[in-house]
Amino acid sequence: MRRPYLVLAGVTAGWGTIPILVAWSTLPAQLVVAMRLWTGAACLGVVLLVDARLRRSLLGAPQPAPGPRIFSQRRGLCALAALVLAAHWLALFAAYQKAPVGTVILIVYLAPVGVAALAPRLLGERLGRRTLVALAVATLGFALVAIPTAASAGGTGLALSLIAAVLFVALILISKPLAATYGGLRLAFMELAGAGLVLVPVGLLSAWPAPTADWLWIVVVGVVHTAVGITLYLSVLAKVPATHVGILSYLEPVAVVVAAWVWLDQRPTVATVAGGVLVVAAGIIVATAGTRPRRAARLLTPPPSIDPAIPSR
């Protein structure tokens, strides 16, 4: 199994612990999102600053970072990615408050199907037979995982879940060409910092509860799951077909079930276990499949004047 797929599987599975950590905090959803963005952006900003100073001190003179400067290319698309990220997380966490978690997950994680439908047209990716088989297997497995926990939900919860799903599709498709241009670290900083700026009014207008030790769980999410996790995710997104990324994202809800079993003593059903096995099998299929040659992209890939082969480090 190739290393990028192992990294992606580890990141998406690790994100499955986020609902547990968030549940241990006392913050409302919009403040969880804001703190996660601000903490992640601050961490990556420090990393970029330290990296620049180290290069200056080791080489004796200011040296440009490998690749383009932050927000120097495709600025409109960069701003759109930050806005979509902020809106996606707000819709997702708000949906969790309005509808059962199983219902939300069932709707939001239909997004990989949307990615598979749009990636050939927007990114020039070809869907091989093994990828289509893996997508079908993952979707079936995901349904077995999510349906047992799904329940009826009001119109608001369903609408928010659908919005989050559409934004999830858009985020993957927009981030794919930007990751190839900027690399994972700089793109992660731009998306988190931009989305964090969007959430400043939300933070200012919200009623903040008194700080407690439980807030440290959100700091963990901001540093580990957001700063580190999203950097790795975007670095891999630059190298792996967007459809494969979508399929492997099904590992996240499976990991949620495992985390709930371990920490909350919520035992999964036989159908849930079977679904998890199918999702893992789908991940193995895409990880061992050979990549197909890409057709000329039509809308989102970098223009010819931009070198897409910029190192992500």
Side-chain angles (χ1 to χ4, degrees), residues 116-298:
L118 295 175
R121 179 176 180 82
L122 299 181
L123 301 176
E125 294 182 359
R126 289 185 177 179
L127 300 181
R129 183 176 301 174
R130 293 185 68 176
T131 299
L132 292 173
V133 170
L135 180 63
V137 171
T139 304
L140 174 61
F142 165 69
L144 291 174
V145 169
I147 287 177
T149 61
S152 59
T156 301
L158 293 176
L160 288 169
S161 300
L162 183 59
I163 291 171
V166 172
L167 292 172
F168 190 14
V169 174
L171 186 61
I172 293 176
L173 295 175
I174 293 170
S175 298
K176 172 70 174 176
L178 292 176
T181 299
Y182 284 100
L185 176 60
R186 277 165 292 160
L187 178 58
F189 172 75
M190 289 189 295
E191 289 191 357
L192 294 177
L197 288 175
V198 173
L199 267 292
V200 167
V202 174
L204 293 176
L205 296 175
S206 298
W208 288 76
T212 65
D214 295 336
W215 288 24
L216 292 176
W217 293 119
I218 306 303
V219 175
V220 172
V221 171
V223 175
V224 178
H225 299 75
T226 306
V228 177
I230 291 182
T231 297
L232 292 174
Y233 178 86
L234 292 175
S235 297
V236 172
L237 183 61
K239 307 171 185 177
V240 173
T243 305
H244 290 192
V245 172
I247 292 171
L248 283 171
S249 69
Y250 281 126
L251 289 173
E252 183 176 347
V254 172
V256 171
V257 173
V258 174
W261 185 10
V262 173
W263 283 296
L264 303 180
D265 199 26
Q266 298 178 1
R267 293 183 177 275
T269 64
V270 174
T272 301
V273 174
V277 171
L278 288 177
V279 169
V280 173
I284 294 174
I285 291 173
V286 299
T288 56
T291 56
R292 299 279 301 275
R294 288 168 38 163
R295 299 180 300 178
R298 300 181 182 180

